[in-house]
Amino acid sequence: RKEADDFVSRPEVRKMLEVNVIKGQYCIVYGSKGVGKSAVVNDMFWDKPGVVGIKVTHLITSNELVSQLVLKVLGPGASVNVQEEDLITALKSSAEPITIIFEAEPSNSPNQQAILGAVRSLAKSLAPFARCVIVLSEANAILEFGRDDTRENYVYVDEMTREEAKQLLLKKGAHFTEEELQFIFDNLGTAPSQLIHLCMRVPGLETVQAY
């Protein structure tokens, strides 16, 4: 995650997360690639007690998901033979509430459906005992999830508002006139990744890092 002075607050998205990330249900955060889903989730939960993050790629299996969570929740001394039931017991007895963030990035993988199914199944099992968030890297990955009104909550992250986009450009050291901003937003949009790519092409800002 970037330092705080590089981050642009997005209060509407944060409000949706506060309402939908609750124990007993699991929250699916989705939207087009590059709109800042992970950045908003990280800003809300980063450095908070009891937060566990796990990357889900096309290389991971259902058993590996559980094993990685066991190590993160119970510590490196945990037995490799611990099962999902033991993980649930640990979550129940935790002194502080646990938040689990799954960053799902199995894009363009032939077994994407199986991977996302495993994430969904695990989140469903753990939701009564921890706050679970699934961040989808691709917008169409949401099609792998079925509507389960009793357990699934959805947070859609759109492009930034124009005011948020202006703040991001200023934080990155890019100064444009109002006419230039109007042209940029009308033609390029306000997705953070697109704006950062633009900044990288502005003379004097070539070293700016991606959002």
Side-chain angles (χ1 to χ4, degrees):
R1 185 176 75 90
K2 294 289 178 274
E3 297 300 322
D5 57 0
D6 286 326
F7 181 77
V8 174
S9 177
R10 301 180 66 179
E12 289 303 314
V13 179
R14 187 182 180 93
K15 187 185 300 180
M16 288 191 293
L17 288 171
E18 289 172 346
V19 171
N20 289 286
V21 179
I22 57 176
K23 188 183 289 189
Q25 299 173 316
Y26 58 98
C27 180
I28 302 163
V29 181
Y30 71 107
S32 299
K33 196 173 186 65
V35 294
K37 301 180 294 292
S38 293
V40 177
V41 170
N42 287 343
D43 182 74
M44 181 167 175
F45 295 107
W46 195 260
D47 290 337
K48 301 293 191 303
V51 176
V52 172
I54 183 168
K55 288 277 188 182
V56 182
T57 70
H58 67 284
L59 299 174
I60 203 165
T61 66
S62 180
N63 288 337
E64 288 169 341
L65 270 176
V66 174
S67 296
Q68 288 192 26
L69 278 177
V70 165
L71 291 175
K72 288 176 179 288
V73 174
L74 299 181
S79 168
V80 293
N81 296 317
V82 171
Q83 302 297 311
E84 186 176 316
E85 293 76 12
D86 302 300
L87 178 57
I88 289 174
T89 299
L91 292 174
K92 285 180 180 179
S93 59
S94 175
E96 58 191 14
I98 301 295
T99 300
I100 302 171
I101 300 172
F102 300 91
E103 293 217 36
E105 301 178 348
S107 54
N108 301 319
S109 169
N111 59 335
Q112 172 175 292
Q113 185 173 0
I115 296 167
L116 292 178
V119 174
R120 181 187 181 206
S121 176
L122 185 57
K124 188 180 297 185
S125 297
L126 302 182
F129 319 105
R131 299 194 302 177
C132 294
V133 184
I134 303 172
V135 183
L136 300 178
S137 61
E138 302 282 354
N140 63 2
I142 194 67
L143 300 177
E144 304 297 340
F145 290 80
R147 172 67 68 177
D148 182 346
D149 292 330
T150 61
R151 282 172 289 198
E152 289 179 352
N153 290 332
Y154 291 82
V155 170
Y156 174 70
V157 181
D158 203 348
E159 294 187 1
M160 287 180 155
T161 65
R162 295 198 171 199
E163 186 55 41
E164 290 166 352
K166 287 181 184 180
Q167 292 179 41
L168 177 59
L169 290 171
L170 287 174
K171 284 176 179 286
K172 296 301 182 183
H175 299 273
F176 296 102
T177 67
E178 286 297 322
E179 287 185 357
E180 289 170 334
L181 288 171
Q182 185 71 35
F183 179 84
I184 290 168
F185 298 156
D186 287 346
N187 292 275
L188 189 63
T190 58
S193 61
Q194 292 283 9
L195 298 177
I196 295 306
H197 182 68
L198 172 66
C199 288
M200 294 173 68
R201 300 174 63 183
V202 175
L205 295 174
E206 294 88 349
T207 58
V208 72
Q209 297 182 13
Y211 190 70

